[in-house]
Amino acid sequence: MKHAAPVALALALMVAALAGFWWLLFRELAERPPEKPPAIAFEQTGVAALPGWGDDNLEGFRAAMMRSCAHWPRRANPLGPHLAAACAAVPEDDAALKAHLTDDWTAWRVAEGEGRLTGYYEPVYPGSREPSARYDVPLHRVPGDLVTARLTDFSDDLDGTIRGRVDGDRLVPYHDRKAIRQGALDGRGLDLLWLADPVDAFFLQIQGSGRVALPDGEVAYVGYAGQNGRAYRAIGRDLIAWGEVAAADMSMQAIRQWLEDNPGRVHELLDLNPSYVFFTERETEGAIGAEGVVVTPERSIAIDRRLWYFGLPFWIEAPGVESEAAIRRLVMGQDTGGAIRGPVRADLFLGPGDEAGERAGRLNRPLAMWLLLPRGVDPTLALR
């Protein structure tokens, strides 16, 4: 309760500032025509004709699907009633579900050229509940002065949201990664847990959730709680631009290896990404996706939330590489990420731990995607 007065004051100032001066704050945006959603083309096909459909036994998929189905009856978007009714008809075993989807659903190829499939995972890093000489890198809770403004609240010609903080009578961008590292949030009681390595903290923010192995053997489960509103920047591209890593060799492992080989330049590279993620501690095991459900290894993907509604099934196909087989399976769009942009773009959740992390770091393949919907449902309803 000790922060209630400052928070209330900050919110009041934000409202006053935005109500009085929104045309100054957002003038550049207001002068632009509103962005139109991309015209996404769909090609209809039968579910049985999906490449590799006969080889997927759907193990684990039904559990993932039902987690999303629990949300559809409460959703007010145009697709909500269709998916709520379809979810109520889902059979209770995998074999029956596959027959049901084959007979009563339609597949729509997202015809937007070659896409990209990458992977993510739930990392496990050593940490502590108290700071020490070893554990000196904080994970932060959401600050009370981080405020979100929906631009549509101020004009029908504007869209999206912005995050920032109130400074006097102005809404300004929130502290970036470098400012937070240098102490912008120190002394405010926002420290959730402490890690030993800033690189671990950075990758935990990229993954969005993970596990912290504490000295007494306890495991703390942490998940995404908010973000500072700054645009995500892929530091791998900077390493390529610097000539430090070849584009063909770029991976999560390559970035971590470069950071280990160049300890004096760690913050020089990490600070280039101004985006900063805040965490909360969860009581239950399992990574939570942006849809608000536990994501399922091999069956959940992150999608571009600007384009798609959460909780939709997709068939994904990515070719095999070297000794690794092709990926052809049914998945649910239950998460998102700052680097997930475009209609044919997915990030496959591969589970917890180092082995999953190794696989996630290597996964970078061309992708084809099909949206699955109950027969007769217009696929354009799946677009925001």
Side-chain angles (χ1 to χ4, degrees):
M1 295 298 293
K2 63 182 180 180
H3 297 299
V7 172
L9 177 59
L11 289 173
L13 286 171
M14 182 199 72
V15 172
L18 290 177
F21 303 108
W22 74 267
W23 59 87
L24 295 176
L25 291 170
F26 307 130
R27 180 175 56 197
E28 181 181 353
L29 288 172
E31 290 173 352
R32 300 181 202 155
E35 292 186 10
K36 296 181 179 179
I40 297 176
F42 295 95
E43 297 175 354
Q44 182 176 357
T45 187
V47 172
L50 291 169
W53 176 251
D55 298 325
D56 188 1
N57 62 12
L58 301 192
E59 180 181 359
F61 173 79
R62 186 182 182 281
M65 184 179 189
M66 296 313 294
R67 292 186 182 115
S68 290
C69 277
H71 289 254
W72 278 111
R74 301 191 298 273
R75 290 178 172 162
N77 63 65
L79 193 58
H82 299 288
L83 265 294
C87 285
V90 170
E92 295 185 358
D93 67 82
D94 292 348
L97 173 59
K98 188 165 186 179
H100 170 70
L101 293 172
T102 302
D103 295 339
D104 299 326
W105 289 55
T106 300
W108 299 88
R109 179 164 183 159
V110 186
E112 295 299 319
E114 182 179 284
R116 182 60 48 181
L117 178 68
T118 53
Y120 73 111
Y121 75 113
E122 186 182 15
V124 182
Y125 296 131
S128 172
R129 294 194 181 279
E130 300 296 333
S132 66
R134 178 183 180 188
Y135 300 109
D136 60 353
V137 182
L139 301 179
H140 289 107
R141 299 180 178 88
V142 177
D145 62 343
L146 176 65
V147 293
T148 300
R150 297 187 307 174
L151 301 186
T152 52
D153 290 342
F154 302 93
S155 172
D156 292 338
D157 294 330
L158 302 177
D159 193 13
T161 61
I162 58 172
R163 297 184 182 93
R165 61 188 177 89
V166 175
D167 182 11
D169 62 352
R170 297 178 58 233
L171 181 66
V172 299
Y174 205 76
H175 306 296
D176 63 10
R177 176 178 300 279
K178 182 177 181 179
I180 293 173
R181 176 178 65 80
Q182 293 178 336
L185 302 182
D186 288 0
R188 295 175 52 183
L190 296 173
D191 308 320
L192 179 66
L193 293 165
W194 298 81
L195 302 187
D197 186 346
V199 178
D200 288 349
F202 182 85
F203 279 105
L204 183 58
Q205 291 188 29
I206 290 177
Q207 301 304 321
S209 63
R211 308 179 184 192
V212 179
L214 303 175
D216 61 1
E218 180 189 1
V219 176
Y221 301 98
V222 297
Y224 175 96
Q227 189 259 359
N228 65 344
R230 301 282 187 148
Y232 177 87
R233 175 167 171 164
I235 59 173
R237 295 177 183 173
D238 292 291
L239 288 179
I240 294 172
W242 293 352
E244 297 287 338
V245 179
D249 298 329
M250 180 51 63
S251 67
M252 184 176 65
Q253 288 90 338
I255 296 173
R256 185 176 280 275
Q257 187 62 56
W258 187 90
L259 290 166
E260 291 178 0
D261 294 342
N262 297 271
R265 302 182 67 186
V266 166
H267 293 304
E268 176 188 354
L269 180 64
L270 300 189
D271 287 349
L272 290 175
N273 178 13
S275 174
Y276 192 90
V277 169
F278 305 106
F279 291 96
T280 186
E281 185 171 355
R282 307 190 314 269
E283 295 183 358
T284 57
E285 181 177 352
I288 305 293
E291 187 185 16
V293 302
V294 174
V295 289
T296 304
E298 312 286 350
R299 294 296 183 180
S300 297
I301 59 171
I303 53 175
D304 188 344
R305 72 180 305 166
R306 303 171 308 165
L307 305 178
W308 302 106
Y309 287 115
F310 287 129
L312 296 171
F314 291 90
W315 182 261
I316 59 172
E317 181 191 32
V321 293
E322 298 178 353
S323 60
E324 299 184 25
I327 296 173
R328 298 186 182 99
R329 70 189 58 154
L330 193 58
V331 295
M332 293 295 296
Q334 297 174 320
D335 205 354
T336 193
I340 311 304
R341 293 289 182 263
V344 190
R345 179 72 174 90
D347 210 21
L348 178 64
F349 178 65
L350 295 172
D354 293 342
E355 181 179 351
E358 284 295 316
R359 292 178 57 212
R362 294 193 306 268
L363 182 53
N364 190 343
R365 307 188 197 178
L367 173 66
M369 287 175 60
W370 289 257
L371 168 69
L372 270 69
L373 289 174
R375 192 179 303 278
V377 176
D378 184 346
T380 62
L381 295 180
L383 301 172
R384 290 185 183 273

